[in-house]
Amino acid sequence: MRKLILCCVLVFCFIASTYAQIRNITGTVTDKSSKPVPGATIYNVETGKSTQTDEKGKFLIQAAAGQTLRFIYMGAQTVNSKVGSTSVVDAQLEVSATNLNDVVVTGYQTERKKDLTGDVAIVDVDELKKQSVANPMKALQGQVAGVYITGNGSPSAPATIRIRGIGTLNNNDPLYIIDGVPTKSGMHELNQADIESMQILKDASSASIYGARAGNGVIVITTKKGKTGKTQLSGNAYSSLSTYVNKLEMLNAEGYGKILWQAYVNKNLDPNSNGLRYQFDWKVDPNTNQPVLNKVLLPEFLNATQTLRTSDTDWFKEISQLGIIQNYDAQVSSGTENGHYLLSLGYFDNKGIVRTTGFNRISARINSDYKLFNGALTIGQNLSITKTKEVAADIINSALQALPIIPVHTVDGIGWGGPVDGMNDRQNPVRVLEDNQQNGYDFMRLFGNFFADVKIAKGLVFKSNFGIDYGDYTSRNWQKKYQSGYLVNDVNKVINTQTHNVKTTWTNTLNYSLESGNHRLNAFAGTEHYVENSNTFMASREGFVLEDPDYLYLDAGTGIKDNSGSGAKNVLMSYIGRANYSYMDRYLLSATIRRDGSSRFGANNKYGWFPAFSGAWRISEESFVKNNTSIVDDLKLHAGWGKTGNQEINNNAIYNIYLSNYNITAYDINGNKSGVLPSGFYLSQNANPNLRWEATEMSNAALDFSLWKQKLYGSVGYYIKKTTGILLLPPYIGVLGEGGNTYVNGASMENRGFELSLGHKSRLTDDLSIDVNGNFDMVRNKVTYLPPAVVNAYGGDGKGQNILGRTVGSFFGYVTDGLFRTQAEVNNSASQPNKGLGRIRYVDLNHDGVIDVNDQTWIGNPLPKYTYGFNANINYKNFDFSFLLQGIGDVAVRNDAKSYTDFWSAVESSSNKGARLLNAWSPSNPNSDIPAVALTDDNNEARLSTYFIENGSYLKLRNAQIGYTFNKQLISKLKMQNLRVYIGGDNLAILMKSKSFTGLDPETPGFGYPNPLVVTAGINVRF
C-alpha cells in the first residue's frame, strides 16, 4: 500500500512539474515592412492548440520551453519557431502582394494597393520565374486579364504584347519603366532573377502619367534592393532540355515519287518525262481504265559525276537538335539603417532546337542606396550591364521545301548536297545553318539610373533621377563561298555593322505627402527630359582568300567595297503633375496632367496635353457593410477616364527629305556608275507642320473585392478605348510626282473589353494549402475611320467592302464549299475556270453564276473572342506543386503551311510536300477533303480562301512544377536559410485545340520557330 501511495505521489509530482513548465507565450507577428499581420494563426505543434493574432498582430498562447510554434498566414511562407527561456516569441512573415497595405509602384510615386483608383494589375513575379525563358514577358502569358501575348520558341523568347487590344495601325508595343527608366524594347536582356515587382498600368487613368508614350499601356518593373539585416547570399541554378512537341510530317523519297506520278497522270502526261530523276513502273488497269503505279524507280546518283548519291533525307531531322538551357544566378545583399546594397550576377544560355541557333546572356547588377545627414539626403543607383549574343535562322520553310532525294553531303562527306538540273533552286538547309552559325550579333547594354532624394520639410521630398540606356550592337556577317549542286557562290563577302544608341532621361519631381485625421493627400509635380541619339554604320568587302575568323576583316579583302551610315535624334520634354486624395480610406480621388513636347511633331502641334481623372469608393469601409457582415475584407468600386498618346513614327516624319540617287539625278556617261556628273538629290517626302500626336481616350469602371480574409478575391471591369488621329503614310497618285509621301493624322479605332479575375486561398489542414487564380477577358476591336486615300489599303475589294467597322488585320477572300465529288456537282455549279472532280468548289456569293473577284468577303477575325488563364499552387508540408493553363477562344489564323501540305502546285510544284498529300482526293479516295494532286494550279487554289483560314483556339499546359523545401533545422547545420529543389516543364501539352485546325501548333501556324517542350531541374538556395 505504501508503494502504491509513493508511486501516485511521484506521478503527481511529475505531472505537476510538467505543467509548471507550460506558460503564457506572447508575441507580435509582422511582415517584412514591420507592419502587423492580423489574422495569422499560431499553432503549437506538440499540444495541437492554436490561436490567432489580433488587429495589432499580437497573440497569446500556452507553450513550454522546447515546444515549436508554427506561424501560419495565407499568402505567406510558414515559419516555425522553438520556445526558449523567454516568454516572448515574435515572428516575421513574407506576406504576398494580395495584402491591401502593400505598396506598389504606379509611376513616379508609390501607392498602397487599397488606395489605387486605376486599373493596375500586380503581377506575381514568382510565377514568371518558374518558366525557362530568356524574356520575362513571354512568361506572362495567361497571367493577367487584358494582356494578350504571342510568341514563338526562339531561344531569345520574343514576345508580342497587346494590352487591352490593338490601339493603333503603328507600333502597338507597351512602354516599359524599369526603376524609373523608360524603354520600348530589349526585355530579353533583363535577368528575371533581378525583378522584385511588376505592375501593369492597363487604363489611361493610371498610364497617363507617362503621356505621349503610354497609348499602348505601361509595364512598371522594380528590381531587387538590399534589405536591412545580416548579409544574405542566394543562388539559383537550373538546366533544361527542349525538343519538338511534334514535327510536320513531310514526304519521304518514295512518297514524293508517288505524288509526282499522280500529278502527271492526273494531267494525262507521261510521268517519266519529269526532270527530277524519278522514273516509274506503271500501267493502266484495263478493267477500270485507271492508271496503276507498280514501283518508284530512282538512280543511284543524281548527277553524271556521281558525287551526289540519291538519298532519303529527313530535313527536319537534319536541322534539329536536343536543345539545352543553362541558367545560373547569384545575389548578395545587406543593409543597415543608413544604407543597402545588392549585387547580382546571371548567366543564361539557350541552345535552340534548331541547329546552330542560340541565345546567350551574361548580366551583372548593382543596386544601392545610402542615407546622409541623418537621413535628410538619400543617394543611390540601380545599374545593370548585360552582354547578349544571338544566332538566329529562318529555316523552317526551307527544310519543308528541300527535296528528300537530295543528300546532305556529297559522297566524300565533305561537299554539300544540292539541287541538280531540273530541280528548283532551294538551298540545302543544313549548309545554310552551318555557314550561318557565326553570323550572330553581340549587344552590350548599360541600363539604370542614379538618384538623389532630399527631405526639404516634413512630407516634402525633392527627387532627381537620371536614367541611362546605352546599347552597342556589333555584327560581322560572313557570306561564304559554297557549291551545293548547281548552286554556286564563288565570291565571299564580309559585312560589318555597328549601331550605337544612347537614351537619357532626367526627371525632377517634388513630392508632398500629408496625413491629418481622416485625410490623406499625396501630390507631386515635375519635369522630364528625354533624349535619344542613335547612329549606324555598315561596311562590306568582297574577295577573301581565306575563310578563317582571324582573317575575315575588311582590310584582308580584295574585291568591291561598300558602306552606308545614318543617324537620328529624338527629344521629349514633359511637365507632369498628379494628386491623390483619400478621405477615411473610403473615398478616393486622383487627377493627373501631363504635357509632352516632341521633336517628332510639327511646329503647329509640338505639344500635347494628357489629362486623367479617377475615383474609387471603398464600400467595405461603410458602416452598413462593416456593422452587418464580417465576410468582406475589401470591396471597392472605381472608375476613371484618361487620355494617352503615341509618338511611334519616324524621327524625320515632319521634314522635307531630299535623298541622293545617282540613277535618277545624274547621267552615267560611261555606264560604270562613275559618270562625269555628280549625283544630285530628289525630294522624297514633303513636310507636314500640322502633324500631331495620336490620342487614345479610355473610360473604364471596375469592382475589386476580397472576401473571407482574402480566401476569395478578384476584380471585374469594363472599358472603352478610342484612338483618334492615328499616324499614316498614305499612298499617292503619280501625278503628284516627287515628294508625294507625306505623313498625316487620319485614322480612328475603337476597343471595348470586359475583364474578370478570380482567386481563392484556403488552408485545408495545417499541412495542406491551396492558392488558385484565374482570369478571363474579351475585347472587340474595329476601325472606325480611315481617310479616303487609304480606306482600301487594309483589305477589301475597293468597291465598298473595306476594313471600316471591322478588326484591323481581318482576312478577306473566298468562301469554299468542300470539293467537287461528282460530275453532277461540277455541271450544276457556278462557272469556275478549270473546275473539276477533286477541285475546290468556291461559293457564288453574289449569285451571278460566275466565280470571280466579286465573290470575296470577310472570312476571318484575327483577334480571339476571349483569352483566359488558370494558375494553381498547392503546398503540402515541404512539397509544393503548381501548374499554369493558358488558352484563347475562337480566332482566325492563316495556316500558310497548308500551301505545301495539301497542294502540289499552289505555290510551286518542284519542292517537297507534306505527307497529307498521300491522302489527297482521287477516284479511289473520293471522301478526302484534300484536293486532288495537280501538276499546275489551274483552279487558282492558291488564292486566299476559307480553306487556309482555320480556327486557332487552344488550351495549353504552359508550365508545371513540383518542388521540395528542406527542413530548416536540417539545413541550418550547413549555414543555409533555405534550400529547395524542383523539377518542371514548359509548353508541356496542347490539351485542346479546334478540330478544324490541321497544323501542329495553332499558336504558331506559319513557319516561325516552333514552341518546344522544355523539361527543367533546378535548385534555389539562400545563406
Side-chain angles (χ1 to χ4, degrees), residues 50 85 116 130 304 355 444 492 659 799 816 979:
S50 64
S85 58
L116 295 176
K130 291 179 180 179
R355 287 178 56 184
M444 184 76 72
N492 51 24
L659 299 177
K799 300 178 181 180
T816 63
L979 177 61

Side-chain angles (χ1 to χ4, degrees), residues 506-650:
W506 188 23
T507 308
N508 294 281
T509 59
L510 196 62
N511 291 266
Y512 179 69
S513 299
L514 173 67
E515 288 189 43
S516 177
N518 293 324
H519 304 275
R520 179 192 295 266
L521 174 67
N522 182 275
F524 85 93
T527 63
E528 185 169 86
H529 186 241
Y530 172 86
V531 180
E532 178 181 358
N533 277 288
S534 64
N535 62 79
T536 298
F537 172 76
M538 183 282 295
S540 67
R541 188 78 180 267
E542 295 180 353
F544 292 84
V545 177
L546 300 175
E547 291 186 343
D548 184 280
D550 294 330
Y551 184 82
L552 287 169
Y553 290 92
L554 298 179
D555 279 352
T558 59
I560 296 174
K561 299 178 181 180
D562 193 13
N563 63 75
S564 65
S566 64
K569 183 177 182 179
N570 172 39
V571 179
L572 190 70
M573 185 65 199
S574 308
Y575 305 91
I576 319 160
R578 184 171 188 173
N580 300 317
Y581 172 73
S582 170
Y583 177 65
M584 298 178 65
D585 281 346
R586 187 180 305 171
Y587 309 109
L588 311 170
L589 294 173
S590 179
T592 303
I593 187 69
R594 178 164 176 147
R595 178 173 167 83
D596 283 326
S598 173
S599 61
R600 289 179 174 173
F601 294 104
N604 300 335
N605 293 292
K606 193 166 290 294
Y607 281 87
W609 289 94
F610 302 96
F613 308 94
S614 59
W617 175 28
R618 293 190 66 213
I619 305 171
S620 54
E621 291 299 309
E622 298 287 356
S623 59
F624 64 81
V625 175
K626 298 179 70 174
N627 297 337
N628 290 286
T629 179
S630 61
I631 67 172
V632 178
D633 309 321
D634 189 58
L635 186 63
K636 180 170 67 176
L637 178 66
H638 59 95
W641 172 91
K643 186 177 181 180
T644 55
N646 189 356
Q647 61 153 6
E648 294 306 311
I649 57 171
N650 293 339

Side-chain angles (χ1 to χ4, degrees), residues 2 7 90 251 426 450 474 496 502 541 602 611 647 826 953 984 993 1014:
R2 291 179 178 178
C7 290
D90 295 329
L251 293 169
R426 299 299 183 265
F450 299 87
T474 60
N496 281 9
V502 182
R541 188 78 180 267
Q647 61 153 6
V826 175
S953 62
K993 65 178 180 179
V1014 181

